[in-house]
Every structure is written in C-alpha cells, then in structure tokens.
Amino acid sequence: MDNIPQKQDLLAAAERLSPYIHNTPILTSRMVNELAGCRLFFKCENFQKTGAFKFRGALNTVLSLNDDEAQNGVATHSSGNHAQALAYAAQIRGVRAYVVMPENASPVKVEATRSYGAEIFFCEPTLEAREKGHKKVIDETGAYSVHPYDDCRIIAGQGTACMELLRDNPKLDYILTPVGGGGLLSGTALAANYFGRDIRVIGCEPQVVDDASRSFHSGKWQPAPNIPTVADGLKTSLGKRNFAIIKDHVYDILTVSEEEIIAAMQLLWQYMKILIEPSSAVPLAVLLKNKEMFSDDNVAIIISGGNVNLQNLPW
Amino acid sequence: MDNIPQKQDLLAAAERLSPYIHNTPILTSRMVNELAGCRLFFKCENFQKTGAFKFRGALNTVLSLNDDEAQNGVATHSSGNHAQALAYAAQIRGVRAYVVMPENASPVKVEATRSYGAEIFFCEPTLEAREKGHKKVIDETGAYSVHPYDDCRIIAGQGTACMELLRDNPKLDYILTPVGGGGLLSGTALAANYFGRDIRVIGCEPQVVDDASRSFHSGKWQPAPNIPTVADGLKTSLGKRNFAIIKDHVYDILTVSEEEIIAAMQLLWQYMKILIEPSSAVPLAVLLKNKEMFSDDNVAIIISGGNVNLQNLPW
C-alpha cells in the first residue's frame, strides 16, 4: 500500500501536537529490571491527556482537517479510549464531537467522554449496530468520521510517542507495544524505522484474540475472533493499512495468556506504582515469558493507557 | 531547640543522596486543577526507591554514620515504609539491617523488607513490645538505632524532596504534606524556609489522629490517640524535634475525615493514574475541603508513598 505516513508526516504531527500533549515521563525500576533480566524503559502514556496514547492520533487528525471538513464536527464509534480522545480533540479544535457507544459501555468511560463535551448516542453492543448508528449520525449531522486506527493521520499521531522515547533513549534494542487495531504498533514501527537505528519493534497480543499474530505469521489478513479478553482494548481486528505497515516494519508479534496478562498488570501496579489498564500489561507479560530473547538488552515498553474501572479489578 | 538541621545539612544531604535516589517526577493534571480551582504540582515520592520518601532520610542517615557506628549494622522498629527504606539503605552501605515488626504487619511489607536483605524480628503489635524488641536487638547485635523521624539526618534527608520541587517550581504559594511523626513536614518546612521565597507549608492530618494539629494550635506537644485510620502511616505522635521545627516554620495544620481521605485517594488514582497510599491523599483532601484558601494559587503536594495492599483497597 502506497498510502502510509512518511517521515515528514510524523515530524509534522509531532510539531502540531506539541502544544497540547504531555511529553510523558519514561519510568524505570531497578526491581522490575532484575525480574526481567534487562533494562526496561516504560513510556507512560497512561499519563497522557485523556489517559491513553489515543489522544495523539485523534488530535493529529482533528487538527489536520481543513475548515470545510471540520465545520460539522467529528464522529466515531468507540467504547473506549478513542471516544474520550476524539471528544477532547474536538473540544480543542472548537467543533462538536458525536460518539456512538454500546449501551453496555463502562459508565466511567461514558462519563469521561461526556465531560469533554461530546454528544453520545447509545446502540446495541454489536459491531453492526455501532456501524449503523455511526452512519446515521454522520448522515444527520454531516460530521467528519474519524477512524480509530486505519488512517494515516492517526498512525502518524500515535508514532509521536515513539519519537519522544527515541529522543531520550536512542540506544534501544527493542520496543514492545500492545496490538489491537494496530494504530500504536504501526505508528511505533514507522517512527522506529524513520528515527531509530536497528530497533526491533514487537507487537504484543492476548492469545485468545491472536488475529494480529496469525495475520503477521501467515502474511494474510485475518479477522479477530469475538472472544472476551481482560485486555478488552485489544479485541479489535487489525486495520488493513496498519497490517501493511506491520508486515514491513515489525520484527515479530508474540502472544500471552490471560493469566500472564493479569500477573504482569499486578506486578506493574505493585512495583511501579502506576495505574495501567490490562492492555498495557501485555508487553511486559510477553517479555517475562521470553526473557532469554531480551537478556541484557535495552527494551522500551509503551504503556498504552490507564483507564481502568477501580471497582472491578481483575484480581 | 538548637539542634535542628541547617541549610548546609540539607545541601550535604542532597549531594550525598543524589547518586542513589530518583529525582521523582512532578505530575500535573488539568482536570484535577479544574476540580481544585488552583494549579497543583504533585511531587511523586511514590515513585521513589522503596516506594516512599522515607528512603531519603534513611539513606542520608546510614551514609552519614562513621565506620565505627556502622560496623554492626543498623536497626529500627517499623511496620511500614521506614523498614523497607532502612533495609535498602543498609544494603547500599553494605551493612546488616535488623527490623522489629509487629506480627500483624502486612505480608507485602514484610516480604519487601526481607527482599532488601533485612533480618526481621516479629513482636506483639504494641508500641511497648516493639520498643522492647528493638532494645533487645540492639543489645545483642550492637547495631546502630535509626529513628524513623526524630533525627536531624532523617529530617535533612526528607527535606531533599522539597529541594527538588523548588528547583523546578520556584514560584509556589503553598506546599502541603501529610504529617505523622513529622519527618517529612519538618524537613519540607526547613527546605522551603532555606531555599524558597514566601512559601506557606501546611501539614495535613486525619481528624481521628489529630495530635499534630492539637499540638500545633495549643503550642504544647500532645500524643496521638490510639485510634485506627485508613491513613495508617500517620498514626504516629509528632517527634519532639520535629514539633520544634514545625512550630517555627509551618503555616498551619489542617485535618480531614476518613471519608474525605478515601474520596481524594480514589480521585488521584482515577485522574492521575498513580498508585498512592491513603496517607498521600490527605493533602489533596485538605485542599478540596478548603478550596477558597488556595484559589488560583500554585500549590505543591508531596505524594509521600505508594505502598498499598492491592488485595485490600478502601473502596
């Protein structure tokens, strides 16, 4: 696919975003390094505005729209972090945001999305109902549809987290990110390719929804099975454009069990004192499962987000 | 009292500690600022080594000992963060650590203290039994006793967190810290006095153990009642030396209810994505209860620690 973000697109995204985003801290822990047998650098996008990296891509897209595209607002369907990210991005641009959410979405996320001024439409919790609701909203409002991952502006925006990471840690051997739709993984892989030197980027995925791994290893796009995972942010199938980038620029995609994800999540809470959502624990789970692969290396992990329901923790 | 840490003691502590401690990040949140009606700067000592500011004072003390004092190791009695801090400080100095802990101490904290190589002695969970056990250990081992707060080297060490804070944020109007024994509060008040300009330092305390507030407002030292609080790190009575410093250099001591502490703790977890222990939520609870007092000001809060039992959260 020709249409992938170029080096200058990522540089432009970084400049466009810089007044609005946190250059999130990179945390380290001697104790986690000892457990892992390597030097770990955690890029903490859980501290990003709206609580997840998704704000980077959403804001880059919304700020890239011309006035005609933006005038009737923006719309998406999402039960998660993209909803909050787009809502806040629209607030910054000063346009309306319309978000279709499944009626069983977490009340915390609904409230957060509303708090950024978005108008919310509820639908049945199926992909079909979400897409239908989304189309209806766009037809009625004329809003611009912002895809959560399969979009060059989104991918370039997500890549800026890796650009910040490389500025502070140019000598990385590996970068690990979670993979769901592939926005973060493809953006990271491009950034590592454009701005890094010999860095292996690895996608990390729950075993039960291993479509990215199967797609990557077979070379042929495959849809995600509709199976629940504690890392619910990663249930999505890989985007087509994201897959094209991942095929070319990602070193491997590795999977872990639900138990391994929960154990890694608890370990990060306990040792690092940071709130991370289950999806963000998947890369550390992968690393702990494959220690020999990373022995004595410099390994960065992008902590994707921290939006968890404190009333319903997985332990 | 003459014997309080001087400006050069704090400068020496900062230099002595710098190779070993984290210069912890200062986090901000637009949403928490909006809720609070002021600009807040959170100095995150929950990210400090051993998970709490206590490591600063313990390490400053252990590194200040001469070889004779240090040769038989160090000892303390503690159920909490001072135990872990002293254990790791001793490990760095290369001497033994002996810690008397109540037999009902949290298994997580016992395990953490042991993981830093300390030898642990259990006793009944009373102050009398702890002091008796501590004396016995010292008599038998010849170890040097390190008090958790009523010590100039401890106070100077705790003051270094405020020194870092002021380096990045010289224009603070207020600094709020929790107060238990008073090590952090007295060290912060001295640092603000030596290195800041017109900064009001406020101690924050649970209502149910309001000895510091009563001592401060009556001008006469008073012991803490033996009442449980969710902020169990703050149950201790004020140290005598700490009280002398606090009388001279602290602006006020304010109290909050258990419910207010839990609400502030949950708010910090949810919005800031950081794990903090209940004691660390007391300052934000004080601020939210007295918003008009801090309106539009620059207010720093020292987040004292993040050692919580994830299996037993207060909500």
Side-chain angles (χ1 to χ4, degrees), chain B residues 273-294:
Chain B
K273 315 298 181 194
I274 56 176
L275 251 79
I276 63 159
E277 52 196 47
S279 302
S280 299
V282 177
L284 181 63
V286 160
L287 187 139
L288 293 174
K289 193 181 186 169
N290 301 278
K291 277 188 193 181
E292 67 300 332
M293 181 171 171
F294 304 99

Side-chain angles (χ1 to χ4, degrees), chain A residues 190-253:
Chain A
L190 286 180
N193 181 52
Y194 293 147
F195 306 105
R197 266 196 61 184
D198 298 327
I199 300 171
R200 294 172 171 176
V201 174
I202 294 181
C204 303
E205 191 177 36
Q207 234 154 49
V208 292
V209 288
D210 65 346
D211 64 295
S213 165
R214 286 183 291 110
S215 300
F216 182 80
H217 291 112
S218 68
K220 187 168 167 296
W221 184 89
Q222 303 189 36
N226 187 17
I227 296 175
T229 163
V230 64
D232 60 350
L234 307 182
K235 276 190 64 175
T236 331
S237 298
L238 219 47
K240 296 288 171 65
R241 185 187 322 266
N242 310 91
F243 179 48
I245 297 167
I246 287 166
K247 267 203 296 197
D248 282 354
H249 297 292
V250 163
Y251 180 70
D252 204 351
I253 295 186

Side-chain angles (χ1 to χ4, degrees), chain A residues 90-161:
Chain A
Q91 196 180 60
I92 288 174
R93 173 85 192 239
V95 300
R96 305 295 310 262
Y98 306 95
V99 179
V100 175
M101 293 183 109
E103 58 205 9
N104 63 353
S106 138
V108 175
K109 295 200 170 171
V110 173
E111 211 24 72
T113 306
R114 212 192 304 268
S115 79
Y116 294 116
E119 194 167 332
I120 296 171
F121 301 87
F122 290 101
C123 68
E124 283 178 45
T126 66
L127 183 60
E128 199 193 339
R130 283 165 57 156
E131 287 177 344
K132 203 174 141 194
H134 179 57
K135 186 172 180 311
K136 186 159 173 275
V137 166
I138 288 173
D139 288 346
E140 285 173 7
T141 62
Y144 188 95
S145 173
V146 179
H147 195 278
Y149 44 88
D150 197 344
D151 181 297
C152 280
R153 296 156 296 185
I154 292 280
I155 293 167
Q158 318 304 30
T160 60

Side-chain angles (χ1 to χ4, degrees), chain B residues 74-89:
Chain B
V74 290
T76 198
H77 61 92
S78 166
S79 61
N81 291 332
H82 180 59
Q84 298 176 54
L86 188 68
Y88 186 37

Side-chain angles (χ1 to χ4, degrees), chain A residues 7-314:
Chain A
K7 189 171 182 173
Q8 62 268 29
D9 297 322
L10 271 74
L11 289 168
E15 195 174 333
R16 191 176 292 124
L17 294 176
S18 69
Y20 305 103
I21 59 169
H22 288 305
N23 178 345
T24 50
I26 296 162
L27 297 182
T28 60
S29 161
R30 191 183 59 95
M31 295 189 74
V32 179
N33 286 353
E34 274 176 24
L35 281 171
C38 61
R39 281 172 300 283
L40 280 164
F41 302 87
F42 294 93
K43 174 70 173 166
C44 288
E45 288 294 299
N46 55 327
F47 297 146
Q48 190 50 266
K49 295 195 177 182
T50 75
F53 76 91
K54 293 266 183 181
F55 179 57
R56 295 176 183 268
L59 184 61
N60 188 49
T61 307
V62 171
L63 292 181
S64 299
L65 300 178
N66 65 38
D67 287 345
D68 280 352
E69 289 169 326
Q71 64 176 345
N72 296 321
V74 290
T76 198
H77 60 93
S78 166
S79 61
N81 291 331
H82 181 59
Q84 298 175 55
L86 188 68
Y88 186 36
Q91 196 180 60
I92 288 174
R93 173 85 192 239
V95 300
R96 305 295 310 262
Y98 306 95
V99 179
V100 175
M101 293 183 109
E103 58 205 9
N104 63 353
S106 138
V108 175
K109 295 200 170 171
V110 173
E111 211 24 72
T113 306
R114 212 192 304 268
S115 79
Y116 294 116
E119 194 167 332
I120 296 171
F121 301 87
F122 290 101
C123 68
E124 283 178 45
T126 66
L127 183 60
E128 199 193 339
R130 283 165 57 156
E131 287 177 344
K132 203 174 141 194
H134 179 57
K135 186 172 180 311
K136 186 159 173 275
V137 166
I138 288 173
D139 288 346
E140 285 173 7
T141 62
Y144 188 95
S145 173
V146 179
H147 195 278
Y149 44 88
D150 197 344
D151 181 297
C152 280
R153 296 156 296 185
I154 292 280
I155 293 167
Q158 318 304 30
T160 60
C162 177
M163 292 168 73
E164 292 173 7
L165 184 60
L166 292 173
R167 219 169 291 147
D168 290 337
N169 298 275
K171 292 196 174 163
L172 294 174
D173 300 300
Y174 290 93
I175 302 176
L176 275 57
T177 82
V179 56
L184 180 62
L185 179 58
S186 58
T188 301
L190 286 180
N193 181 52
Y194 293 147
F195 306 105
R197 266 196 61 184
D198 298 327
I199 300 171
R200 294 172 171 176
V201 174
I202 294 181
C204 303
E205 191 177 36
Q207 234 154 49
V208 292
V209 288
D210 65 346
D211 64 295
S213 165
R214 286 183 291 110
S215 300
F216 182 80
H217 291 112
S218 68
K220 187 168 167 296
W221 184 89
Q222 303 189 36
N226 187 17
I227 296 175
T229 163
V230 64
D232 60 350
L234 307 182
K235 276 190 64 175
T236 331
S237 298
L238 219 47
K240 296 288 171 65
R241 185 187 322 266
N242 310 91
F243 179 48
I245 297 167
I246 287 166
K247 267 203 296 197
D248 282 354
H249 297 292
V250 163
Y251 180 70
D252 204 351
I253 295 186
L254 300 171
T255 64
V256 279
S257 72
E258 299 292 294
E259 294 70 31
E260 289 162 338
I261 295 169
I262 294 170
M265 178 177 171
Q266 196 160 1
L267 196 151
L268 278 169
W269 282 48
Q270 198 89 59
Y271 284 102
M272 304 284 296
K273 315 298 180 193
I274 56 177
L275 249 79
I276 63 159
E277 52 196 47
S279 302
S280 298
V282 177
L284 181 63
V286 161
L287 187 139
L288 292 174
K289 192 179 186 171
N290 301 280
K291 278 188 193 183
E292 67 300 332
M293 182 172 172
F294 304 100
S295 177
D296 271 333
D297 283 332
N298 293 322
V299 182
I301 284 179
I302 301 187
I303 297 290
S304 49
N307 293 324
V308 280
N309 183 352
L310 293 179
Q311 314 305 331
N312 186 20
L313 297 172

